[in-house]
Amino acid sequence: AVGTSAPARAAAAPTASSPVIVVALPRAAPGHDSKRMVYLRRAHELEAFAFHEWVDTPAQMLAPLIVRSLQDSGAFRVVLMAPSAATGGLRLETELIRLQQDFGTRPSHVRLTLRAVLLDTATQQAVAWREFDEIVPASADDPVAGVAAAHQATRRVLTALASFCADQPGR
């Protein structure tokens, strides 16, 4: 999933008391951990396009977009990508559950599901978790339209993720 993220909220300047957050590299569920662009024609049967693939794995492409989305939210003093020599008060771990174009309906649609867990690094306790799930209709039943729908789904998920992280108590 590639694209640019829109700010999750009006970007206020972070203050000295704003937390530092470290973003772990996203993991990917089996079947979604390669450059292959996957799709469904029948439920639970992942297939891959023969001549189309992502530039990198979707999870790797999401990493800098997550960082940018959290930076743009204005809720964090510093947003770091793991691994980093610096530490933060919070750590965000994510897993790409699915990114696939579904041809079981017409028009086809892209579904992006991302699970996020926000951890307090001092206690190693989970502060909160949430699963983000976006379904965006494709403008045509082909991989190019699927990419455009994936961009839109990614923007929506990143906006919701940044709001989720910014709105946690004790943040």
Side-chain angles (χ1 to χ4, degrees):
V2 296
T4 57
S5 63
R9 50 208 250 153
T15 65
S17 64
S18 296
V20 173
I21 187 169
V22 176
V23 177
L25 289 173
R27 294 181 315 275
H32 301 281
D33 53 357
S34 77
K35 293 180 180 183
R36 297 171 29 169
M37 293 175 66
V38 296
Y39 66 92
L40 298 168
R41 286 188 282 187
R42 289 176 293 284
H44 311 294
E45 292 182 29
L46 286 180
E47 299 179 64
F49 288 108
F51 302 107
H52 295 84
E53 65 178 29
W54 299 110
V55 183
D56 200 347
T57 66
Q60 289 294 318
M61 292 189 301
L62 273 173
L65 299 176
I66 291 170
V67 168
R68 175 50 113 2
S69 183
L70 293 174
Q71 287 172 334
D72 289 350
S73 75
F76 301 96
R77 183 166 30 111
V78 178
V79 180
L80 302 167
M81 175 65 70
S84 173
T87 60
L90 296 171
R91 179 179 176 90
L92 177 64
E93 296 189 359
T94 55
E95 180 180 9
L96 179 65
I97 304 299
R98 79 178 55 82
L99 174 59
Q100 61 203 29
Q101 190 168 359
D102 189 337
F103 293 99
T105 61
R106 293 293 187 254
S108 65
H109 63 268
V110 169
R111 185 169 185 189
L112 170 63
T113 307
L114 184 74
R115 180 177 302 132
V117 178
L118 193 61
L119 302 167
D120 179 318
T121 56
T123 65
Q124 295 300 309
Q125 296 294 312
V127 173
W129 77 274
R130 182 169 164 200
E131 199 164 276
F132 302 90
D133 190 40
E134 285 291 335
I135 298 173
V136 176
S139 61
D141 291 329
D142 61 48
V144 174
V147 169
H151 282 260
Q152 189 175 357
T154 300
R155 282 192 301 272
R156 290 179 186 176
V157 165
L158 291 174
T159 298
L161 175 64
S163 291
F164 162 76
C165 291
D167 292 343
Q168 294 311 308
R171 180 204 57 72

